[in-house]
Every structure is written in structure tokens, then in C-alpha cells.
Amino acid sequence: MSTINTGDIADGTIIDGVHYHQFDIVIVGAGGAGMRAAIEAGPHAKTAVISKLYPTRSHTGAAQGGMAAALANVEDDNWEWHTYDTVKGGDYLVDQDAAEILAKEAIDAVVDLENMGLPFNRTEDGKIDQRRFGGHTREHGKAPVRRACYAADRTGHMILQTLYQNCVRLGINFFNEFYVLDLIMTEVDGVEEPAGVVAYELSTGDLHVFQSKATIFATGGFGKIFKTTSNAHTLTGDGVGIIWRKGLPLEDMEFFQFHPTGLAGLGILLSEAARGEGAILRNAEGERFMERYTPTLKDLAPRDIVARSMATEIREGRGAGPDKDYLFLDITHLEPAVIDEKLPDITEFARTYLGVEPYTEPVPVLPTAHYAMGGIPTNVQAEVLRNNTDVVKGLYAAGECACVSVHGSNRLGTNSLLDINVFGKRAGKAAIEYVKTAEFVPLPENPAGGVKNILDMVRAGDGTERIAAIRKELQVSMDRNAQIFRTDESLEEVTNLIQSLRGRYRNIQLHDKGKRFNTDLLEAVELGFLLDLAEVLVFSARSRKESRGGHMREDYPDRDDENFLVHTMAYLTGDPESEEAGDHIRLDWKPVVITNYPPMERKY
């Protein structure tokens, strides 16, 4: 295979209209995980961060409630209890070695942020304040514990701002509004190795090739496969989709979390912090119904349990509103001063988007698609896996796009902001060690050719289908058939729809044929990723014939440890455009790492 001589590439070199850059480490994504990796890597190697958004618009900023760490600032706590809660909360699909790392390193992660300048809420004696969150307990499940470190209900926003300010201080190279659309792989001694990425510059329409010794994916989730979601419009799973199309596996894709308290009809999130401060979920009859489902933790049970309980209340006719299709989050019994101090954003959301005054009225809520537990498989050093055991040298992933797996089949609230800091840092450190001795992998002769062909084909399309219409049909069907409750019949329905939508996708037409700021073009490309990821989620869900965590099969309602205490590993083996539904996907299984906590019945 012909390659480009690495020595011919200087930063800004243009070959056949394509811009070339060379960095030791390229980080794709400027959310919490990406910028935490950059802070670790930047002082030691030439590092670039490529982001489809301006960094402080990344979705980490939407996280509200807190970041878990067993600081024991307000009551007794320790990292082993945190590990246990994480394992049990994930319905024992959590890799326990990873959970131990998460809980142990949580304390340093919080201190790191404090030293960077993050303005945490404080106790009267000046320590970082902590509050309760769902599924976090003391003494291995005896009672709720105050473990979430927080900055009002803007914790993610504060983390994002703090990380960005420190990246600026360190002089990190940012390429903002650059859409990474491909991972360049070059065959070396019979094995495909990563050589860099190809990005589309939104402001010009130009293509850029970034050659790197190490590449870190930190591209976030893909909640836009659902209609009702807390995820921003940009969370289309580009990074996960790129890895999938390269024939590398995706892990545990069937597990998607539905946050209990999205604003009814909108999906905009009301943080679990509200329940941590004493908010109560009620049905149309005013009953605190969670007492019937989880008498110990009540409203602060893990999210999968609360979401299923809410859906059950609505199914059984205890929902509110004209269509009996939502429930209430009640904070009217809390002091207005407490609400204003600790929950200012979410109460303003209720006023702005629903016209409800939370001081005096309960807020209509409904579960909303929130977080992908599955994604790009990695080991605890954030190295991407080629299969169950082998790593792809020089390729790393962290944050929601990755599956390490610390969340198993259900993530505990506040463990996501912790995950991005612990494993973002680990990704940066591992990449630094790798590039100390690694050489650049040669680029193929035309590394941007595949992306150029795709963009030209989409831009030239003269069909009759609209991108927005296809996306909407996908999202509506995913909400109806693959949300909290699933059956083989419902999953088959959405599988067949995806095949139909693929045919329509080949017949799209863009109104904007230009190059500059062509978001129409990029939404078309993103739709391709959404179709891919929805399909692998549904395929994996049909194959897991049990119920566990965020995956509830009504036709297989019990957890089945004998057959399914394993991670799903899905591989793309053919062309989805030319084969029958599912013929191009192969499933394998990976053992769950169990150390101190054998699977037990999950009672709260």
C-alpha cells in the first residue's frame, strides 16, 4: 500500500486541497473527558483537541447534580461502600476492578478539580459539601449517604469551565467546530493500526488530516437515537459510529439509561439533586409511590428502578394530566431559600419551559433517554480493545463514548462526572507513556479520500427524502419500541423500520449544496451514525434474553446470571446497505470481572 512520507508533513501542509497536521496526541472531543485528558497530556507532548463545538458548549456542561467521592466530609463514608454501590447499582454487570479504581481515585479527582479552581458548595467549616444521590449508601446498603460533591445544580457546567480555563492556561491547541468523520487506519505487519483522524472544518468546508502517534476518543453519547431525551442535538454518536465502521467492537450497547425526571413532553432534565435535597415523586393521587417499590431508598433508588416504577404507575392508570401520561416531582415542602441556593437552574427550567412555579406547584415529569452505559470497549488504562483481550496500540477512549465498564447495566447518578475525570486523566497519562517511544504510523496515500467521497455523494444527492423526517421516524420508533420496556416483537418492529430508513437515506436531498457552515450536510452524515447505533443497540437487545439494569425485557422479566452475566461484544462484519437486517452484525461475549462482590438479589 502506498503511503505519505511522514517527513513531508509540516503543520498546515496542503496536498490536493487537504490540510495536514501532525501532533503527538490528538484528542477527539472537548467535553469533560477530552479536556481532562488534555490537561494530563498537554504539558508533556504536542497535543491537539478537536471539537465539533466550542468547548464550553460541550454536553458535560448540562450535568447538574454532582460528582461522587467518598470524602466523608459530612458523614462517615469510604471508597469500598462506593465500589459496592456502583457494582450493585449496575446490576452486577460492572467490571469490579474498574469500579474499585473509580471509587479509590474519586477523592484525588475531586481534589484535582478543587486545586484547579472549581467553586464547590461548602460546609460551614469550609469543606466541600456533599449531598445524597440515588443508589449511594453507607455500610453496604443500610441507608442513604451524602457522597455527591456539588456546585449548586450546575456541577457539570462548573467542571467544564474549570477544565477549559486550565487548558487555556496550559496552551492546549484547540480546533473548534471541526467534525471528525473518520479514523485513519494503516496496515502495519498485517495489523490495522491508527494513524490519525480526518476532520471537516465547518467554517470553510475543507478537510483536515491530523496525523498522531496516539488518538483519544472522548466524543460523548448518542441519545439522539431517541425522541424524548436530555441529550443535546449534537449527541449523535459520531465517535462510537466511527469505531463501529472500522470493524472494532462495541460493548453492552443494549443498556441505555432513562433518567426518571425529564420535563414531561420535553425531556429537559431536572437533576436527581432535587430528590437528593428531599423532593418527592408523586402520582396523580398525590401518593409517594416509590415507597411501594423500594421501601429503604424510596425516591433515591437507582435510576433504572425509579424509571421502571414511574412507567408502571402510568401503565396502571395513576398518571396525571388529560392523557394520564406523566407524574409529578414535588418540592413544594422545601424552603424557598434552600431551593434558590441548591436548585436554582432546574426550578428555572420548570418555570421557563412548562410555566410551573415549583415553590407552590408539583412539576410534571417523565423518564427521558439520558446516558449510554455501553460504547467503545476499553481496559482500565483507557486503551481501546480490538477484541476481548487485545488492545489497539495508540488508541484510547474515555467518558460516555467508552465502556470500561464502571456502569454495568445501570449508571449511578454522579458517577458520570467522576468517570470523565478519572478515566480522562488515565487516558491522558497512558497516551503520554505510549508516545514516549512510539513512532508515527504512515498515512495511506489518500487518507481523506473516503470522507471526501461520502460528503460529495451526500451533497450531490437529488432524491426526495428529508433528513429531519427520517430522523424523526427513527426517534419515535425507538421511543415506542426500545425504551424502558422491550419485547422481541417491539424490537423486531424497530429493526425492520431501520432497514426501511436505510433505503430512504440513500434517497435524501440537501437544500444547502454549499461548503461554508453547511450544517445540513453534517446532519445527513450524523443521521448515518444514528441509524448504525440504533441498529446495533436493538440487535444486542434482542440477543440478551433477560432483564438487567436499563434493559427490561417483558418477555424475559428475570435476570439470568447463568446465561447472561457477560458483556455483549458486537462487531460489524458486512455492509449494512446491502444485506438483510442483522446479517452484518456478529455478537460475542466477554466475561465480567468479579473481585469482591458476587452477584446477589438486588433489593433496596
Side-chain angles (χ1 to χ4, degrees):
M1 179 179 63
S2 323
T3 58
I4 294 174
N5 188 338
T6 299
D8 292 340
I9 300 173
D11 199 42
T13 297
I14 301 175
I15 304 174
D16 295 330
V18 176
H19 303 254
Y20 285 79
H21 313 268
Q22 198 175 73
F23 289 89
D24 294 321
I25 298 172
V26 165
I27 299 169
V28 185
M35 289 200 287
R36 187 64 190 86
I39 287 170
E40 208 64 28
H44 307 287
K46 186 180 179 185
T47 301
V49 179
I50 308 173
S51 175
K52 67 192 288 188
L53 300 169
Y54 191 76
T56 52
R57 290 184 58 220
S58 297
H59 203 59
T60 298
Q64 298 166 348
M67 176 173 161
L71 300 182
N73 281 354
V74 294
E75 57 185 329
D76 191 27
D77 198 5
N78 68 61
W79 68 265
E80 291 181 274
W81 299 347
H82 186 184
T83 302
Y84 169 80
D85 291 337
T86 298
V87 171
K88 183 180 177 183
D91 217 350
Y92 295 94
L93 202 73
V94 171
D95 285 332
Q96 295 181 23
D97 58 340
E100 289 168 10
I101 289 169
L102 184 79
K104 278 183 181 178
E105 297 184 7
I107 296 166
D108 284 344
V110 170
V111 172
D112 284 348
L113 290 170
E114 182 181 34
N115 290 337
M116 289 181 202
L118 196 147
F120 286 109
N121 276 50
R122 300 281 171 174
T123 63
E124 289 185 0
D125 58 355
K127 295 180 179 178
I128 295 172
D129 201 3
Q130 297 182 273
R131 60 183 168 203
R132 293 175 178 172
F133 242 76
H136 291 278
T137 69
R138 60 177 173 83
E139 299 177 74
H140 301 99
K142 287 188 176 179
V145 71
R146 300 181 187 278
R147 184 177 291 148
C149 309
Y150 64 98
D153 56 357
R154 305 179 182 121
T155 313
H157 174 78
M158 296 300 187
I159 288 175
L160 197 65
Q161 298 288 335
T162 300
L163 293 177
Y164 182 58
Q165 290 163 7
N166 280 271
C167 283
V168 171
R169 178 178 63 83
L170 292 171
I172 303 295
N173 297 282
F174 281 91
F175 293 83
N176 300 326
E177 296 188 325
F178 279 62
Y179 281 58
V180 170
L181 298 177
D182 195 18
L183 171 66
I184 305 166
M185 301 286 280
T186 303
E187 188 174 310
V188 179
D189 297 329
V191 179
E192 293 280 313
E193 302 287 0
V197 298
V198 182
Y200 174 94
E201 185 179 2
L202 183 62
S203 64
T204 64
D206 290 349
L207 292 179
H208 293 250
V209 169
F210 292 83
Q211 188 183 28
S212 61
K213 295 178 180 178
T215 304
I216 301 173
F217 272 68
T219 52
F222 46 90
K224 293 306 288 186
I225 61 175
F226 294 96
K227 178 177 181 289
T228 305
T229 177
S230 66
N231 285 196
H233 189 68
T234 54
L235 285 182
T236 51
D238 313 349
V240 183
I242 288 168
I243 294 294
W244 174 245
R245 291 178 181 180
K246 289 299 173 182
L248 296 171
L250 297 181
E251 181 176 353
D252 289 344
M253 289 291 284
E254 63 269 39
F255 296 108
F256 207 96
Q257 181 170 91
F258 298 89
H259 194 292
T261 53
L263 288 177
L266 297 172
I268 296 170
L269 206 62
L270 298 186
S271 172
E272 197 170 304
R275 284 173 283 141
E277 297 296 341
I280 296 170
L281 287 165
R282 300 190 187 278
N283 58 25
E285 299 161 11
E287 178 195 9
R288 186 179 188 177
F289 58 88
M290 284 306 301
E291 291 180 333
R292 286 190 281 108
Y293 296 96
T294 52
T296 300
L297 295 187
K298 301 181 180 67
D299 305 87
L300 286 174
R303 289 173 177 175
D304 63 319
I305 295 174
V306 179
R308 280 196 300 275
S309 302
M310 293 174 71
T312 300
E313 288 293 300
I314 292 170
R315 280 183 163 195
E316 295 181 355
R318 293 184 289 275
D323 298 322
K324 298 185 180 299
D325 59 353
Y326 59 79
L327 298 163
F328 292 115
L329 182 69
D330 182 9
I331 62 173
T332 58
H333 55 287
L334 300 181
E335 288 293 327
V338 173
I339 295 172
D340 291 343
E341 178 188 355
K342 296 185 176 181
L343 306 169
D345 274 6
I346 66 172
T347 50
E348 194 58 37
F349 292 161
R351 297 181 186 111
T352 301
Y353 296 108
L354 291 184
V356 171
E357 176 46 68
Y359 287 166
T360 57
E361 302 172 83
V363 182
V365 292
L366 192 67
T368 180
H370 182 57
Y371 189 91
M373 272 76 73
I376 304 166
T378 74
N379 60 20
V380 295
Q381 304 306 329
E383 296 172 293
V384 172
L385 297 177
R386 194 183 298 274
N387 48 47
N388 285 7
T389 55
D390 299 327
V391 302
V392 183
K393 294 179 181 178
L395 185 60
Y396 306 85
E400 190 177 352
C401 73
C403 182
V404 60
S405 150
V406 286
H407 306 308
S409 61
N410 173 66
R411 175 178 68 76
L412 292 188
T414 69
N415 271 359
S416 60
L417 291 179
L418 177 57
D419 178 9
I420 62 177
N421 280 282
V422 168
F423 289 99
K425 179 178 180 178
R426 280 181 159 250
K429 290 183 74 169
I432 282 296
E433 288 304 308
Y434 179 75
V435 302
K436 285 179 179 178
T437 57
E439 301 292 335
F440 286 103
V441 173
L443 294 170
E445 188 172 0
N446 184 17
V451 171
K452 185 177 186 302
N453 290 340
I454 291 172
L455 295 178
D456 287 346
M457 182 176 62
V458 171
R459 192 184 280 112
D462 60 355
T464 58
E465 295 285 351
R466 297 296 305 276
I467 298 159
I470 296 173
R471 183 176 61 229
K472 182 177 180 181
E473 283 196 44
L474 171 69
Q475 293 169 335
V476 168
S477 183
M478 289 293 289
D479 267 19
R480 183 174 62 247
N481 297 305
Q483 205 194 51
I484 293 172
F485 294 110
R486 303 163 173 178
T487 64
D488 189 69
E489 183 180 5
S490 73
L491 295 169
E492 182 181 18
E493 180 179 328
V494 71
T495 298
N496 293 334
L497 175 70
I498 290 169
Q499 280 302 108
S500 170
L501 294 179
R502 284 195 186 280
R504 292 171 56 188
Y505 182 56
R506 293 192 291 270
N507 189 38
I508 60 174
Q509 181 184 42
L510 300 188
H511 284 295
D512 187 350
K513 305 288 188 179
K515 292 187 69 176
R516 295 179 181 275
F517 292 101
N518 191 340
T519 55
D520 201 21
L521 172 67
L522 291 169
E523 285 189 12
V525 176
E526 290 170 338
L527 176 58
F529 290 129
L530 290 176
L531 289 168
D532 286 350
L533 298 179
E535 183 177 45
V536 69
L537 183 154
V538 171
F539 188 87
S540 300
R542 292 187 75 181
S543 302
R544 183 175 286 274
K545 294 177 170 58
E546 66 156 355
S547 292
R548 185 186 299 268
H551 171 69
M552 177 66 194
R553 284 286 298 262
E554 291 188 280
D555 43 357
Y556 297 94
D558 298 324
R559 195 179 84 192
D560 181 359
D561 288 341
E562 182 177 349
N563 295 302
F564 291 105
L565 185 62
V566 285
H567 298 295
T568 310
M569 297 288 278
Y571 295 80
L572 179 65
T573 58
D575 182 3
E577 299 291 341
S578 61
E579 302 180 40
E580 294 298 318
D583 283 358
H584 47 276
I585 300 175
R586 174 177 67 86
L587 284 191
D588 195 4
W589 307 92
K590 182 160 73 91
V592 175
V593 178
I594 297 173
T595 56
N596 297 318
Y597 303 107
M600 299 174 64
E601 187 178 358
R602 193 164 169 248
K603 290 184 177 180
Y604 286 97

